Amino acid sequence: MTNTRTGRLAGRTALVTGAGSGIGRESAHRFAAEGANVVVADRDEVGSEETVGSILAAGGSAFAVRVDVTVGREVEEAVAEAERRFGALHVLFNNAGIFPGADSSPVDTPEDVWDTVIDVNLKGVFLGCKYGIPALLRAGGGSIINTASFVAVVGAATSQIAYTASKGGVLAMTREIAVEYARRGIRANALCPGPVNTPLLEELLADPAARERRMVHVPMGRLAEASEVARAALFLASEDAAYVNGATFMVDGGITAAYVTPE
Ligand code: NAD
């Protein structure tokens, strides 16, 4: 990874939540390699420091801020710190999310698990927008990327009801933001990955039967790598996507296009 101050995000500042692991980390790397100053926001300080360390080692610009995306004042402070350090915020990537094993069918999912998933996956994105949008407006506009999922648009009998509901909420919220702020220079898009090879899916995919049950529906027959999703995030963050707004941006290997998958 080489940093270039003439890259596609040169002179831009990007705040990435969940950047201590997986898709967020790979996106932070990619944004920095394209010249962005990156605010690595995560509740996992060790993971964040690893992300920042590799960005700095490659000649990029980044710092870590400990944020629990469910706590408004922490999100507000992270945005303020981004502006203090780098002058302005241009890209807001609301990506932190959880997928607990106890999230199951509507009948079996405990209420506290429902509440926690909605809090992180949905309220966390709301809070990112609540405190991030004023900063993007101060910068004269920018790009919001909210991580939803392919399950925001197709249902699965392998149930994860709170997660699915949270991602549907992210998708709907993103569309409304896209419409409301379009004339003030903000684009907002929902990034909808298929299954990705990250720690989030470890618990699920450790079971070979569950893995096979999922994989049979993926036309490409493999998981995405986080770096592949990060490249889509970079596109949405950059001016390459200047007229892409309010999109349900699928990065799912063709899952939502499939009726019957190849043998
Ligand atoms: P991951 O577990 O590798 O990374 C998630 C990061 O979010 C972790 O670093 C974690 O510490 C952080 N996080 C969790 N709760 C937080 C909180 N309250 N405050 C701050 N940070 C918090 O997972 P990933 O696969 O990279 O997931 C990133 C996003 O992509 C999530 O929104 C997830 O729902 C979504 N997604 C993942 C997949 C997949 O198959 N992995 C598929 C579709 C969508």
Side-chain angles (χ1 to χ4, degrees):
M1 176 180 40
T2 50
N3 183 265
T4 158
R5 288 292 167 199
T6 56
R8 285 192 275 171
L9 295 180
R12 302 265 150 190
T13 296
L15 190 152
V16 183
T17 70
S21 178
I23 294 166
R25 168 177 287 169
E26 289 299 322
S27 300
H29 285 163
R30 176 112 349 225
F31 290 4
E34 291 288 340
N37 302 307
V38 182
V39 183
V40 172
D42 203 295
R43 69 179 173 188
D44 172 6
E45 291 175 283
V46 174
S48 293
E49 288 303 340
E50 274 178 38
T51 304
V52 169
S54 50
I55 289 173
L56 297 181
S61 166
F63 73 90
V65 54
R66 197 208 163 276
V67 175
D68 181 335
V69 295
T70 68
V71 181
R73 69 182 152 66
E74 293 190 13
V75 178
E76 186 176 22
E77 180 49 34
V79 170
E81 186 64 12
E83 288 185 306
R84 271 197 296 274
R85 294 250 198 147
F86 297 130
L89 181 68
H90 309 94
V91 175
L92 175 64
F93 187 10
N94 292 306
N95 166 76
I98 56 168
F99 181 56
D103 183 9
S104 174
S105 74
V107 175
D108 296 323
T109 301
E111 285 187 39
D112 63 324
V113 172
W114 168 274
D115 289 343
T116 304
V117 171
I118 297 295
D119 225 28
V120 176
N121 292 6
L122 184 54
K123 185 182 176 192
V125 173
F126 158 68
L127 289 174
C129 293
K130 179 175 174 61
Y131 295 109
I133 287 172
L136 296 180
L137 291 172
R138 284 191 287 276
S143 170
I144 299 172
I145 305 151
N146 293 331
T147 306
S149 165
F150 70 105
V151 301
V153 296
V154 289
T158 49
S159 194
Q160 45 185 39
I161 197 68
Y163 185 86
T164 297
S166 72
K167 295 304 187 179
V170 169
L171 180 57
M173 179 165 52
T174 306
R175 279 195 292 253
E176 182 160 312
I177 289 166
V179 175
E180 184 170 355
Y181 290 94
R183 294 192 183 193
R184 284 179 270 175
I186 295 178
R187 296 181 295 105
N189 292 289
L191 181 65
C192 298
V196 189
N197 186 17
T198 72
L200 190 96
L201 284 192
E202 250 163 37
E203 197 176 333
L204 177 80
L205 299 179
D207 173 4
R211 188 186 179 92
E212 186 47 36
R213 179 89 171 83
R214 299 276 160 157
M215 220 43 77
V216 80
H217 298 288
V218 186
M220 291 175 77
R222 67 170 178 85
L223 300 172
E225 293 302 323
S227 59
E228 294 174 309
V229 182
R231 284 204 287 273
L234 170 63
F235 169 71
L236 293 172
S238 77
E239 281 306 296
D240 291 346
Y243 204 64
V244 181
N245 186 37
T248 305
F249 201 90
M250 308 308 303
V251 187
D252 69 349
I255 292 174
T256 49
Y259 171 48
V260 176
T261 51
E263 293 285 318

